Amino acid sequence: TAMAKGARRMRRGYEVVEEAKVPAMEGGARMPQALLAAMPDRFETMTAARKACRRCEILVEGETTRCGDRVKIGDTIRWIRRSSNAPRPMCRPEPPETKLVEVAYEDDHLAVLVKPRGLAVQGRGKTTLQQLLPYLLQPAHVQGALHRPHHVHRLDMPTGGLLIAAKTQASIREMGILFHERQVQKRYRAVVIGCLEGEGTIDRPLRGQEAQTTYRAVKQQRVGNGHGWRTIVDVWPATGRYHQIRRHLASIGHPIVGDDEYCPRQRHDSSNGLFLWAAEVVFPHPITGRTVALVSEPPPCFHEDLHDAHDT
């Protein structure tokens, strides 16, 4: 039958719910109006028809359509729905930003990605990492798969590095518990202004909430161009307050290079962005319980900008 043929053309995990031909309509019609006329029992209102188009559930002659697309009399319309844990068809071409994001780890429940500096995790307007996840990750073939993968924590837009995304309802719920119980260990690599030595813990409330950050100096370097000293430092935040690492390091007189908000511009060259990178993450897998440990090296500029330094 025609429906069986259409079903075979579906991506795995989808099935044809109903099929119909576009009836004669005065002056032609756009997709939502055609749906109302072709499948009146399925779509009783214009709102329902538009929602189906936006969810990429409507195919015309085998192609995904949009609300603004026009159809012709006799065109075959198929309404498809997800029958298993598969992602919906993509309405738009793959954004070029997907090439900037690396998938460091992935299974059916979660993924860990390497976010580039300058890409927002979420928000409106420009492309965000959240919008890219369906293009970057494979569908989850387990019970409770999310319609779209979702990040479980955030990184500031100028900060790059490792970020965890959940692919199932159980994973997003359990990861929230792990973060709340502080079982997710994160190490950041930063370059700060000044000569910071040794190690220590900054225990200073932020916005009335407790906040703790542990740091350890890795390498002190004297730089040219009148910038004085810079220190490569590893940082472990015990809490996750707004701009915690940036504010804590600035509070002890060692703001992060490139931090226009917490470091006066005249003290450094900020043209290469914020020198803060989520370099390591360690946590128990929310489903299997086994340890997941990943490391991501910061961009070469973290060290190349100090090529003329003198080691201490």
Side-chain angles (χ1 to χ4, degrees):
T1 65
M3 186 175 293
K5 181 179 178 181
R8 286 195 297 271
R9 295 171 61 188
M10 298 302 98
R11 293 176 60 183
R12 183 173 61 178
Y14 286 82
E15 62 182 1
V16 175
V17 177
E18 186 164 330
E19 181 176 310
K21 298 286 186 179
V22 176
M25 304 177 68
E26 292 185 6
R30 297 189 186 276
M31 194 60 245
Q33 289 87 349
L35 262 185
L36 287 177
M39 301 181 183
D41 293 336
R42 294 288 192 177
F43 302 96
E44 298 180 354
T45 66
M46 187 67 69
T47 298
R50 288 187 180 126
K51 284 184 178 180
C53 293
R54 293 181 186 130
R55 288 195 295 261
C56 303
E57 294 176 351
I58 306 302
L59 306 183
V60 175
E61 298 299 326
E63 299 293 331
T64 304
T65 62
R66 289 181 166 183
C67 289
D69 292 345
R70 289 190 175 276
V71 295
K72 304 188 298 294
I73 297 173
D75 281 349
T76 300
I77 300 177
R78 293 188 180 97
W79 179 31
I80 64 171
R81 297 298 298 270
R82 191 171 58 158
S83 59
S84 65
N85 299 314
R88 58 176 150 180
M90 297 301 176
C91 293
R92 302 176 181 177
E94 180 176 310
E97 290 86 352
T98 56
K99 297 180 176 64
L100 304 176
V101 183
E102 174 190 349
V103 179
Y105 172 86
E106 181 178 10
D107 61 29
D108 263 341
H109 300 280
L110 59 85
V112 182
L113 305 101
V114 181
K115 183 188 87 69
R117 297 189 297 168
L119 177 66
V121 173
Q122 63 180 16
R124 296 182 177 179
K126 295 183 178 180
T127 301
T128 66
L129 181 65
Q130 179 60 40
Q131 294 170 350
L132 298 178
L133 290 180
Y135 299 92
L136 291 164
L137 304 181
Q138 297 297 314
H141 300 290
V142 293
Q143 184 177 5
L146 294 173
H147 188 50
R148 285 177 176 267
H150 201 282
H151 61 278
V152 297
H153 64 110
R154 289 184 290 177
L155 295 175
D156 295 339
M157 185 169 72
T159 303
L162 297 168
L163 184 135
I164 306 168
K167 297 171 63 174
T168 64
Q169 296 173 357
S171 180
I172 199 169
R173 180 181 64 250
E174 295 301 320
M175 284 304 306
I177 295 174
L178 292 176
F179 271 99
H180 180 73
E181 296 179 348
R182 300 183 183 178
Q183 295 189 52
V184 181
Q185 301 173 31
K186 295 183 291 180
R187 174 178 64 87
Y188 289 76
R189 173 64 58 92
V191 181
V192 301
I193 299 291
C195 184
L196 178 61
E197 298 181 323
E199 58 187 43
T201 297
I202 305 169
D203 190 348
R204 182 169 300 181
L206 297 173
R207 293 184 176 181
Q209 295 180 305
E210 67 165 326
Q212 284 189 344
T213 304
T214 299
Y215 66 87
R216 182 173 66 218
V218 176
K219 194 175 187 180
Q220 299 85 15
Q221 299 179 319
R222 191 175 185 85
V223 297
N225 301 323
H227 290 309
W229 291 85
R230 291 183 184 174
T231 302
I232 299 175
V233 59
D234 280 337
V235 185
W236 295 266
T239 50
R241 308 307 177 202
Y242 178 73
H243 289 179
Q244 177 176 317
I245 295 175
R246 297 164 63 181
R247 296 167 72 185
H248 268 175
L249 289 174
S251 72
I252 62 172
H254 296 282
I256 298 173
V257 173
D259 195 338
D260 289 336
E261 188 165 350
Y262 300 105
C263 178
R265 181 181 293 273
Q266 64 269 20
R267 293 185 60 192
H268 64 85
D269 179 8
S270 61
S271 61
N272 282 327
L274 182 70
F275 280 60
L276 179 63
W277 187 261
E280 184 177 8
V281 63
V282 181
F283 60 95
H285 193 284
I287 306 302
T288 67
R290 65 181 181 82
T291 299
V292 178
L294 295 163
V295 175
S296 172
E297 292 298 324
C301 66
F302 273 54
H303 302 284
E304 289 175 355
D305 277 15
L306 306 179
H307 69 279
D308 61 343
H310 302 287
D311 298 349
T312 61

